[in-house]
Amino acid sequence: MKQLTLKPGREKSLLRRHPWIFSGAVARAEGGPESGDTVAVRADSGEFLAWAAYSPASQIRARVWDWEEQARVDDVFLRARLRRAIDARERLLSTEASDAIRIVHGESDGLPGVIADRYGEVVVLQLLSAGAERWRAEISEGVRELTGCTCVFERSDADVRELEGLPTRSGALHGDLPAAGVQVREHGLSYGVDVAAGHKTGFYLDQRDNRERIGELTQGCEVLNCFCYTGGFTLNALSGGAKSVLSVDSSAAALALARDNLARNDLDAARAEWQEADVFKYLRVLRDQGRSFDLIVLDPPKFAPTAAFAEKAARGYKDINLLALKLLRAGGLLATFSCSGGISAELFQKILAGAALDAGAEASIVGHYAAAADHPVLLSFPEGDYLKGLLVRRA
């Protein structure tokens, strides 16, 4: 039998149902397991702990599929897990709110390394672990059959694949993308989604509710939206009655789609200004120009994929938040986010406190934001709580 035996005392996290087994916890691998193989995980005593997917190249040496010894990881098992994940979403998001939803969210759905986002009749699939890669055909076919979608498109091109010793993959697995492009609805607004080349799976579904909430705060405001991508916060701000929105991103392609999204919703283009620039540098330009705003959104990309990058990431978060607080008018609001799994909510708040102190700004937290409900967080897997947001008011 292919199995991993843990070092003495290293079974404690598994007994608490944490789904990751790190390389340092493994005493030995037996039976010659290869990448993606299902292995039995046992304590030093020989006690069965879990079935897991083996990943010899990763520091996360195995990811748990199931905790019951009688379980069998096969196509039937995977189909049942996919069905459970899809069914769980039925009560989490009404079709009136959006026709775009995350239908599988990795470890929190018992499918480690599997991400599936549905955009209307297109499902974008990311397979980010060795175990997910091993069952690639079965997972993609299960998604197609269970959703009835016309196209399953793979975007297994995230950097984390390299840590798993896997090559990048991208392209259609079933069907073809619509010739007219992918378009979705969200809280009364329409967006074009670049499934083939956009960030992540093409859109940031985790910010769905936060976009709407922040839009509700923008009536009559001059708004600055940094790292605007394809304009999600911008469109909500304009729809919410913002006086003006300056949107900044370093990607010309993202800004082009953002402008298309503006036109798609028949919003007043005269109230929207777009700037292609490095946000870190451009915030300093705005400071030197003496600009100020009523509401600022900071939604940067992931600075710290793991805790090992936390120190460097903390400097980046402090820099942009310090500059944003200096640009914020008295009584103004800063909506600031971190999607870095290596930055805890406690650390993020400490970074903001330091930024406010250095900016000479007295500020208070007046709101907390997290990922939308279709991005659940398994209670035994706090690492899944990656998106943290604070709404800060400057006195």
Side-chain angles (χ1 to χ4, degrees), residues 157-179:
D157 52 3
D159 292 342
V160 70
R161 293 260 305 184
E162 184 177 350
L163 300 178
E164 294 281 310
L166 301 173
T168 59
R169 296 180 184 271
S170 184
L173 295 173
H174 300 285
D176 298 301
L177 291 174

Side-chain angles (χ1 to χ4, degrees), residues 1-6 14 18-22 26 33-42 48-56 60-69 71-73 77 81 107 110 112 129-132 134-135 164:
M1 177 183 290
K2 297 178 181 181
Q3 66 179 32
L4 300 183
T5 300
L6 303 186
L14 283 176
H18 191 287
W20 288 354
I21 302 158
F22 289 93
V26 177
E34 298 181 352
S35 180
D37 282 352
T38 300
V39 294
V41 183
R42 298 186 181 276
F48 176 86
L49 297 169
W51 295 106
Y54 184 63
S55 181
I60 305 174
R61 192 52 47 92
R63 299 171 191 251
V64 172
W65 286 119
D66 201 273
W67 307 96
E68 302 298 329
E69 190 168 7
R72 291 293 177 265
V73 180
F77 171 91
R81 284 289 168 90
E107 280 80 350
S129 66
R134 163 66 177 79
W135 295 98
E164 294 281 310

Side-chain angles (χ1 to χ4, degrees), residues 238-294:
L238 292 170
S239 179
K243 182 179 179 181
S244 65
V245 185
L246 170 57
S247 304
V248 187
D249 201 278
S250 61
S251 169
L255 289 172
L257 185 49
R259 290 188 179 94
D260 289 344
N261 286 334
L262 179 72
R264 195 187 308 272
N265 289 278
D266 197 27
L267 294 167
D268 183 7
R271 290 187 287 137
E273 180 183 354
W274 309 94
Q275 181 67 49
E276 181 185 345
D278 178 288
V279 170
F280 286 86
K281 295 178 180 177
Y282 193 67
L283 286 172
R284 288 172 167 80
V285 171
L286 293 172
R287 177 200 59 190
D288 295 343
Q289 292 175 346
R291 296 285 297 275
S292 62
F293 301 87
D294 301 301

Side-chain angles (χ1 to χ4, degrees), residues 197-355:
H199 295 180
K200 296 175 75 174
T201 65
F203 200 55
Y204 289 92
L205 294 177
D206 50 5
Q207 291 280 29
R208 179 193 306 109
D209 299 336
N210 301 332
R211 284 189 282 266
E212 183 184 39
R213 289 172 186 144
I214 290 171
E216 293 169 350
L217 302 172
T218 59
Q219 176 67 45
C221 291
E222 292 184 81
V223 177
L224 172 63
N225 180 18
C226 298
F227 309 98
C228 70
Y229 189 43
T230 57
F233 283 108
T234 298
L235 267 61
N236 278 271
L238 292 170
S239 179
K243 182 179 179 181
S244 65
V245 185
L246 170 57
S247 304
V248 187
D249 201 278
S250 61
S251 169
L255 289 172
L257 185 49
R259 290 188 179 94
D260 289 344
N261 286 334
L262 179 72
R264 195 187 308 272
N265 289 278
D266 197 27
L267 294 167
D268 183 7
R271 290 187 287 137
E273 180 183 354
W274 309 94
Q275 181 67 49
E276 181 185 345
D278 178 288
V279 170
F280 286 86
K281 295 178 180 177
Y282 193 67
L283 286 172
R284 288 172 167 80
V285 171
L286 293 172
R287 177 200 59 190
D288 295 343
Q289 292 175 346
R291 296 285 297 275
S292 62
F293 301 87
D294 301 301
L295 190 149
I296 299 174
V297 178
L298 294 178
D299 185 23
K302 186 185 297 182
F303 289 169
T306 66
F309 295 86
E311 184 177 349
K312 180 180 179 181
R315 292 195 295 269
Y317 284 119
K318 183 176 181 180
D319 189 20
I320 57 173
N321 281 282
L322 190 160
L323 290 165
L325 285 164
K326 286 187 174 182
L327 295 171
L328 199 60
R329 293 170 183 155
L333 295 171
L334 168 63
T336 181
F337 297 92
S338 165
C339 64
S340 295
I343 300 292
S344 68
E346 181 182 13
L347 176 57
F348 190 50
Q349 184 169 330
K350 287 181 178 178
I351 292 169
L352 264 291

